[in-house]
Amino acid sequence: MATSAAQRFGRRLASSVPRRRFSSSAAAAAATGGSAVQRTQNPSLNLCSAINQALHIALDTDPRSYVFGEDVSFGGVFRCTVGLADRFGKGRVFNTPLCEQGIVGFGIGLAAMGNRAVAEIQFADYIFPAFDQIVNEAAKFRYRSGNQFNCGGLTIRAPYGAVGHGGHYHSQSPEAFFCHVPGIKVVIPRSPSQAKGLLLSCIRDPNPIVFFEPKWLYRLAVEEVPEHDYTLPLSEAEVIREGTDITLVGWGAQLSVMEEACLDAENDGISCELIDLKTLLPWDKETVEASVRKTGRLLLL
């Protein structure tokens, strides 16, 4: 029986649905140390649990790390921060007032003092009150001080995208607004193993970063995730399906739909190359350009 694109993407749609990593062998090997045998021994986690595991590691390995936002000490509405306050205390994992501008502003100050500030915006739709803090403060902090000061330890996490319900205040994908702002990075993972490695890279990167998490995949995307501490490189796109006729570039949750489109096109004799951008700013031009030189066509979704 033919498997659906959802199944290929590694979601647990039902107990009978097979799970599969939606990652290239190179990326998987990098995360596990290179052994296919090791990969089969890793526990299966959904994307939400992978985020939680990354936050546990970040707090455990760096005493200067803090996680804060609306309801994070309770575990958050999506439960990504569950257990953190119990283990690390409410001095390092704590709730904030319902004020996104205040959350990011506090994070800028905390990071400027040499700490690792992980600020959560409960839904990406509500990041706009903090737009000024991100664009005019965090992004320009290093430049305007002549590199004397910076808030490079700031990571802003925000669940984004539609989930089939939620309406116009809980379904937006605002990443494009931030992709025109020099001084910050914008990162979006496509799967649990990618989410863990990329989030740890963001937290340890010397630049302020907005990390959008595809909430549609929080519990639908399931794959083997290495238990140990690992990072994945930022600003490095990944060719997850090779082709010769056209290049497709995407990120996050849309990649499962794009893979289905690639398979449909293959039935019509069209060979598609699929690239996960992963870091939207600064993006990996070299990988995309090399692919387009080969295929001669480019489609962005």
Side-chain angles (χ1 to χ4, degrees):
M1 182 177 66
T3 56
S4 69
Q7 293 168 331
R8 289 189 301 273
F9 193 58
R11 304 186 208 126
R12 194 200 305 268
L13 297 180
S15 60
S16 60
V17 175
R19 298 191 296 272
R20 179 194 141 187
R21 183 193 308 274
F22 193 71
S23 308
S24 72
S25 57
T32 59
S35 169
V37 174
Q38 285 177 303
R39 289 200 299 273
T40 63
Q41 297 173 346
N42 292 312
S44 292
L45 297 178
N46 58 30
L47 196 142
C48 177
S49 297
I51 293 291
N52 182 270
Q53 194 175 91
L55 293 173
H56 268 89
I57 291 173
L59 289 163
D60 190 48
T61 56
D62 190 344
R64 303 170 303 157
S65 298
Y66 299 84
V67 175
F68 51 93
E70 299 168 8
D71 299 327
V72 298
S73 69
F74 310 138
V77 294
F78 295 106
R79 313 305 292 164
C80 288
T81 57
V82 68
L84 296 178
D86 292 337
R87 179 174 176 185
F88 299 101
K90 293 189 177 181
R92 296 183 62 199
V93 182
F94 49 88
N95 293 338
T96 64
L98 306 184
C99 176
E100 286 76 17
Q101 185 178 21
I103 293 170
V104 175
F106 173 78
I108 291 171
L110 190 63
M113 298 300 293
N115 300 291
R116 296 291 175 186
V118 183
E120 179 182 303
I121 303 298
Q122 196 168 80
F123 287 87
D125 310 61
Y126 297 107
I127 202 170
F128 300 112
F131 194 82
D132 179 65
Q133 290 287 345
I134 297 170
V135 173
N136 282 328
E137 301 298 334
K140 297 175 173 61
F141 207 113
R142 192 192 308 269
Y143 182 78
R144 75 177 187 181
S145 70
N147 201 32
Q148 295 184 64
F149 310 102
N150 71 84
C151 59
L154 173 64
T155 300
I156 303 166
R157 296 178 43 246
Y160 87 103
V163 291
H165 60 275
H168 52 301
Y169 286 122
H170 298 83
S171 302
Q172 297 177 61
S173 300
E175 63 268 25
F177 288 103
F178 299 97
C179 289
H180 305 277
V181 183
I184 63 172
K185 295 184 178 181
V186 180
V187 179
I188 302 180
R190 70 172 184 266
S191 71
S193 64
Q194 293 285 315
K196 179 180 174 180
L198 289 172
L199 180 55
L200 284 170
S201 293
C202 290
I203 293 172
R204 294 162 178 170
D205 194 84
N207 298 280
I209 297 178
V210 182
F211 186 82
F212 287 108
E213 299 165 9
K215 61 178 179 284
W216 182 49
L217 301 181
Y218 269 151
R219 287 172 176 78
L220 292 178
V222 178
E223 67 178 353
E224 295 176 12
V225 177
E227 292 184 283
H228 64 264
D229 182 349
Y230 69 92
T231 58
L232 295 173
L234 303 179
S235 295
E236 186 175 304
E238 182 182 347
V239 179
I240 55 180
R241 179 185 177 89
E242 294 190 356
T244 57
D245 297 328
I246 187 171
T247 299
L248 279 65
V249 177
W251 52 85
Q254 65 183 237
L255 284 162
S256 62
V257 179
M258 296 175 73
E259 190 197 22
E260 184 175 17
C262 290
L263 292 171
D264 288 343
E266 188 175 50
N267 294 331
D268 294 329
I270 302 171
S271 175
C272 300
E273 184 146 297
L274 180 58
I275 297 177
D276 178 10
L277 210 53
K278 295 198 285 189
T279 302
L280 279 64
L281 181 72
W283 62 288
D284 182 357
K285 297 180 182 179
E286 290 75 17
T287 296
V288 176
E289 289 173 352
S291 178
V292 175
R293 279 195 295 269
K294 178 177 65 173
T295 65
R297 298 176 179 86
L298 173 64
L299 175 63
L300 298 174
L301 294 186

